[in-house]
Amino acid sequence: MVSNRLILFRIIKTGGVAIAVVVAAALGVVGLADILLHPPSDDLSKLLIFLLASGGISVALSLSWLGWGQHHFSLRVQLAATYLVGAAIVLVNLFITSGLMFLSGHDLSLLLLLMLFSGAISIFFAIFLSTQLGRQVEKLVEGTQRVAAGQLDTRVMAGGSRELSELARTFNKMASQLETAFKKQQEMEQNRKELVAAISHDLRTPLASLRLMTEAVSDGVADEQQTRVFLERMRGEVEYMTGLIEDLFELSQLDAGAIKLHKERGNLADLISDTLESLRGQAEAKKQELQGAILTDLPELEFDPRKIQRVLNNLVGNAIRYTPENGRITIVAQKKAERIKVCVIDNGEGVPPQDLERIFEPFYRAERSRGREQGGAGLGLAIARGLIEAHNGKIWAENLEKGSRFTFELPVHAAED
């Protein structure tokens, strides 16, 4: 009902404008005829009546087509009919005005032959042009239907008029963006499933261990010495699961943009020194050399010490995990323009090229390519990127001739909120 009312309103509005144009054009033609030809007033009246009648019939046909024809025929038929109706109006007007000019029968016959020839040419061009335009539109319609059916690799040829060519290019661009977004969504969904499976496995193992040790202590199977060992191992398993859950919670906050930073002014050199001291034991356990190269003139900046400490621990811990025994890990910090640049460099196995650009993405785990040496869901790098970007910084990774380098930069001057 609403659609029909809108169509009726549009027809009435268009009809009013068209009638006004016809009346203005007829009066203009009569005025020019009076100025140029000086005909009798009776002829001027007949001319005005003829023009108004011809224009009125044309408007009536157009409104009828607008209200009925365009909803029942294809675009090709509409274009051909529009072209033919326009040509027919011109030919009819010529025929009537020729009869009013009192031409001889010979002249009138010649004029009729010329009009028939013009009509035939008009019909040919009407069919030809409408067919060409109709085919181009049909291609776009078919492409749209294929995309709607899930064939996102569909593309259409950009040809024809400028508007249709632009429409085809816009369609291809839209289809390409949809295809890219769909592929990315599929990859994220697959990575999410793999992550859930990995987390389930990482939780199942310590839970099974806790259950066995709890039953051993509860049933009195373990003696006093074994009980102390079990309790220590149970505490380690609980700490591991707590860390895993905290990683998931922090990643969800980063994804939601709900992370809160408690910034204070300080120097990164202190945090780097703390990182070296806290992780030196892990490095020494693998006979690795852990060292720092920090410039003494690093400027102070505003940052959340706890969050940046988390980033450093994740990057250095990742380097320790994937650097072989007797390897070397170095933290380098320096000032670069108005930013502080920190690099964690190792001489380990490096990052597989297919993972290098994506290892910071949530739900993407490069560990599946490198082999898991330890437990963990592989969320550290995704969390590190989120924390650095929350500080208006950037982070990236690159392979060296031997090993890899993970780098992040932080602005010296805090960005204004």
Side-chain angles (χ1 to χ4, degrees):
M1 180 65 69
V2 176
S3 177
N4 293 334
R5 289 179 180 177
L6 289 175
I7 294 174
L8 180 61
F9 175 76
R10 185 176 64 176
I11 293 174
I12 294 174
K13 182 179 178 181
T14 304
V17 174
I19 291 173
V21 170
V22 169
V23 172
L27 292 175
V29 170
V30 170
L32 287 174
D34 187 27
I35 294 173
L36 298 176
L37 303 176
H38 304 291
S41 58
D42 187 49
D43 289 346
L44 287 176
S45 299
K46 291 180 179 179
L47 178 62
L48 179 60
I49 293 172
F50 169 73
L51 293 176
L52 290 176
S54 175
I57 293 173
S58 301
V59 170
L61 290 174
S62 300
L63 293 178
S64 299
W65 184 259
L66 180 65
W68 177 80
Q70 67 175 358
H71 300 291
H72 295 80
F73 297 99
S74 65
L75 178 63
R76 184 182 304 177
V77 175
Q78 293 182 44
L79 290 171
T82 301
Y83 193 89
L84 291 174
V85 168
I89 291 173
V90 173
L91 294 176
V92 169
N93 286 335
L94 285 174
F95 178 75
I96 294 175
T97 53
S98 298
L100 296 176
M101 291 171 64
F102 303 102
L103 295 175
S104 65
H106 178 272
D107 292 338
L108 185 58
S109 299
L110 180 59
L111 179 61
L112 288 175
L113 290 175
L114 293 175
M115 291 171 64
L116 289 174
F117 174 77
S118 300
I121 295 297
S122 298
I123 292 173
F124 170 77
F125 278 107
I127 296 175
F128 176 77
L129 292 176
S130 63
T131 299
Q132 295 300 316
L133 291 173
R135 286 176 179 173
Q136 295 169 16
V137 174
E138 286 173 359
K139 289 180 181 178
L140 289 170
V141 172
E142 291 173 0
T144 305
Q145 291 174 343
R146 287 197 297 270
V147 170
Q151 301 178 27
L152 300 181
D153 58 344
T154 300
R155 301 293 183 271
V156 296
M157 294 295 294
S161 64
R162 181 180 62 183
E163 291 81 1
L164 288 177
S165 296
E166 182 63 26
L167 179 59
R169 285 191 290 269
T170 303
F171 172 85
N172 291 337
K173 183 178 180 181
M174 177 197 69
S176 178
Q177 291 175 344
L178 286 174
E179 184 180 18
T180 301
F182 182 70
K183 287 181 179 179
K184 186 174 182 180
Q185 182 182 11
Q186 284 185 314
E187 291 176 357
M188 291 185 64
E189 179 64 19
Q190 181 62 29
N191 292 331
R192 184 190 66 81
K193 290 180 179 179
E194 292 180 1
L195 179 63
V196 171
I199 292 173
S200 300
H201 176 269
D202 291 340
L203 286 175
R204 187 184 300 113
T205 301
L207 283 173
S209 178
L210 283 172
R211 185 184 64 183
L212 291 175
M213 289 185 289
T214 302
E215 290 176 353
V217 173
S218 177
D219 295 342
V221 176
D223 56 25
E224 185 176 349
Q225 179 64 26
Q226 289 178 321
T227 299
R228 285 196 296 268
V229 173
F230 284 169
L231 289 175
E232 185 64 25
R233 289 179 57 186
M234 290 165 66
R235 186 178 68 175
E237 298 288 6
V238 170
E239 290 178 352
Y240 166 77
M241 290 189 295
T242 301
L244 178 59
I245 293 172
E246 288 179 351
D247 282 350
L248 290 171
F249 178 72
E250 190 157 24
L251 184 61
S252 66
Q253 284 188 312
L254 289 169
D255 289 340
I259 195 72
K260 294 182 179 180
L261 300 180
H262 302 283
K263 292 184 178 181
E264 59 185 60
R265 197 146 192 90
N267 197 304
L268 281 180
D270 298 333
L271 282 185
I272 294 174
S273 298
D274 293 342
T275 302
L276 293 171
E277 290 301 321
S278 62
L279 297 179
R280 194 176 302 279
Q282 294 184 24
E284 290 176 350
K286 295 186 65 176
K287 301 178 182 179
Q288 296 169 344
E289 180 183 356
L290 181 60
Q291 60 185 10
I294 308 169
L295 296 181
T296 57
D297 59 345
L298 285 181
E300 290 188 344
L301 67 159
E302 289 189 4
F303 61 96
D304 186 329
R306 183 172 172 272
K307 303 299 185 185
I308 300 302
Q309 183 74 72
R310 176 73 178 277
V311 173
L312 287 168
N313 288 341
N314 286 350
L315 295 181
V316 177
N318 192 66
I320 293 174
R321 177 180 300 177
Y322 295 111
T323 300
E325 290 187 359
N326 302 313
R328 184 177 65 258
I329 301 166
T330 305
I331 305 178
V332 179
Q334 59 185 339
K335 184 175 183 295
K336 179 183 178 183
E338 294 301 316
R339 305 175 78 86
I340 301 296
K341 181 178 180 181
V342 179
C343 302
V344 177
I345 306 169
D346 65 73
N347 60 351
E349 62 189 73
V351 181
Q354 68 271 19
D355 295 324
L356 192 59
E357 298 296 327
R358 304 192 57 192
I359 53 177
F360 292 102
E361 292 183 12
F363 306 129
Y364 189 85
R365 297 174 54 252
E367 281 87 342
R368 62 188 175 194
S369 302
R370 305 169 68 178
R372 290 169 59 90
E373 297 178 7
Q374 302 177 18
L379 302 177
L381 294 180
I383 292 174
R385 185 184 71 170
L387 294 176
I388 292 298
E389 291 179 350
H391 283 80
N392 301 306
K394 59 181 181 178
I395 186 170
W396 67 94
E398 54 194 329
N399 280 329
L400 304 175
E401 183 176 351
K402 181 174 176 57
S404 58
R405 175 168 55 206
F406 286 75
T407 306
F408 68 86
E409 291 182 349
L410 295 175
V412 174
H413 302 289
E416 295 182 1
D417 296 331

